[in-house]
Every structure is written in C-alpha cells, then in structure tokens.
Amino acid sequence: MVTADASERERATDPAVRALLALAGRASARGWTVATSGNFSVRLDAGRAVVTVSGRDKGALTPDDVVVVDVNGALPAGASAEAPVHAAIYRGLPGVTALVHVHSLAATVVSRRHAEAGYVRLEGLEMLKALRGIGTHEARVDLRVYANTQDMEALARAVARDVDALAPSWGFLLAGHGLYAWGTSPDEAWRHAEALEFLLSVRMHEEARR
Ligand SMILES: [Zn+2]
C-alpha cells in the first residue's frame, strides 16, 4: 500500500503502483505523453486510486511519482491537475479500475475538428471490436468531445453528470488536448486507449485526404 510512510521498496512492489507505472511507460513509448503531458491512475479500492504526479516524464516515473487520491475528497499536493476528472470516473463507474489520459497527435487533431459537433462518430471499422461490449465492425460509437478548459473541477462536474452516456464508448476527448480512456482492468484500459487512438488515427488520415 502506498502511504506517506511506506518505504520505497513497499511502493515498488505494490501491484497497483506497478500497473500504473507500466501504463505510463507504454504510453510514453508510443509518443503519447510528450513534454511531460498525460496522466494515469489505477484504483486501489472503492474510495481510493493511485494517480501520477504532475510535471514528470511519463517514461521515467518511479514509485515516488505516484500519490494516493481519495476519489470522494480533496486532492493531495502534487497530484495531477486532472485528478478530479479521474475521481469523477471512479465515482460514477464503480467497475472501472484504471484510467489512461494521453495528449496524442490524433486525439488532438481530430478533437479540434469535431469540437463544435461535440462528438466524433466512429463506425465501420474492425478495431471497434477491441472495445468491451462491441462484437461487430458495424457498431457505431459516438466519442464525446468536451471543450478544453483549465478548470478541471468544472470538467469533472460535467463528466460526472454525463458518466452513464460516456460509459459505452470507454473514453472521451478534450478538444485540442487529448484522449481519456478507461477499463475494468489496467490491461483493458490500455487496450481501449490503443483502440481509440488507432480509430482516431484512421479518422485523422481520412479527413486529411478530403
Ligand atoms: Zn491532459
């Protein structure tokens, strides 16, 4: 367990912390967290999650770059500025155990183009089947696009309000900013992030040709 008095050795062997650092490392390796961007979390229990701290290279995190957040309470010092958004997802979707937020090129480009519409329609692509609950390429996913903001508490309130509608798409976009994706395990959160990123990359290339 990660607490203020936990030794570094205990932190390093905590399964949630190891899963969290693995998610951050994989996203960094894909180039989705340039310039210390992005943040990640893994649920510990019903009321708590481990979240990455702000301003660190996500490819070089250590167990000391992780804080425990009370998803119903105030944020600890140093937690990612976007931690309230993570907390809103954990409160609203009890089955979610991990969350990935990246500033990838495709998410940034496509979300800007669809900011006014408020969603990106993803349909007709085999990769949709990588999302839990979808068994055919004939499915349609409307990925929500929120306006970007520096007021993450306000965004968290909007996400909390919309959480049931967001659930089937396993993620959402912030315009000109990036992608949030989640899952019922760290591996599933990663698969959903990869799938949505791929679908958005296809969209970016298709729209560039028009
Ligand atoms: Zn961000």
Side-chain angles (χ1 to χ4, degrees):
M1 192 52 54
V2 183
T3 61
D5 58 358
S7 72
E8 189 169 344
R9 187 185 181 86
E10 286 171 331
R11 289 170 187 253
T13 57
D14 186 284
V17 172
R18 279 195 312 207
L20 180 59
L21 298 185
L23 283 174
R26 292 170 93 174
S28 174
R30 294 293 182 86
W32 297 346
T33 63
V34 295
T36 78
S37 65
N39 41 74
F40 304 83
S41 63
V42 173
R43 189 193 285 276
L44 290 171
D45 53 37
R48 298 178 309 153
V50 281
V51 184
T52 49
V53 298
S54 288
R56 303 284 164 81
D57 180 342
K58 300 307 182 295
L61 295 182
T62 75
D64 285 338
D65 298 322
V66 168
V67 293
V68 177
V69 168
D70 175 353
V71 303
N72 299 298
L75 288 184
S80 165
E82 295 180 52
V85 181
H86 293 239
I89 296 290
Y90 287 125
R91 283 197 308 274
L93 299 174
V96 169
T97 63
L99 214 148
V100 170
H101 169 57
V102 294
H103 293 195
S104 68
L105 181 65
T108 302
V109 170
V110 176
S111 62
R112 262 159 75 88
R113 180 174 288 232
H114 296 270
E116 198 170 328
Y119 67 95
V120 180
R121 178 156 292 174
L122 303 169
E123 59 186 341
L125 293 164
E126 183 70 11
M127 186 58 75
L128 287 164
K129 290 164 58 184
L131 300 176
R132 176 186 279 261
I134 294 182
T136 169
H137 69 279
E138 292 173 336
R140 173 187 290 172
V141 170
D142 286 341
L143 193 63
R144 179 75 183 257
V145 182
Y146 289 100
N148 196 23
T149 177
Q150 301 306 315
D151 185 349
M152 289 300 157
E153 295 285 354
L155 176 63
R157 287 193 294 275
V159 167
R161 185 189 64 222
D162 300 339
V163 76
D164 289 338
L166 297 172
S169 54
W170 299 98
F172 63 81
L173 292 164
L174 286 179
H177 177 157
L179 169 71
Y180 274 84
W182 54 83
T184 61
S185 67
D187 282 347
E188 187 179 80
W190 178 250
R191 189 183 82 227
H192 287 160
E194 277 193 311
L196 290 170
E197 170 64 24
F198 179 85
L199 292 161
L200 291 167
S201 295
V202 170
R203 194 59 181 262
M204 180 173 72
H205 286 290
E206 287 177 346
E207 290 179 352
R209 291 206 320 261
R210 283 176 197 157

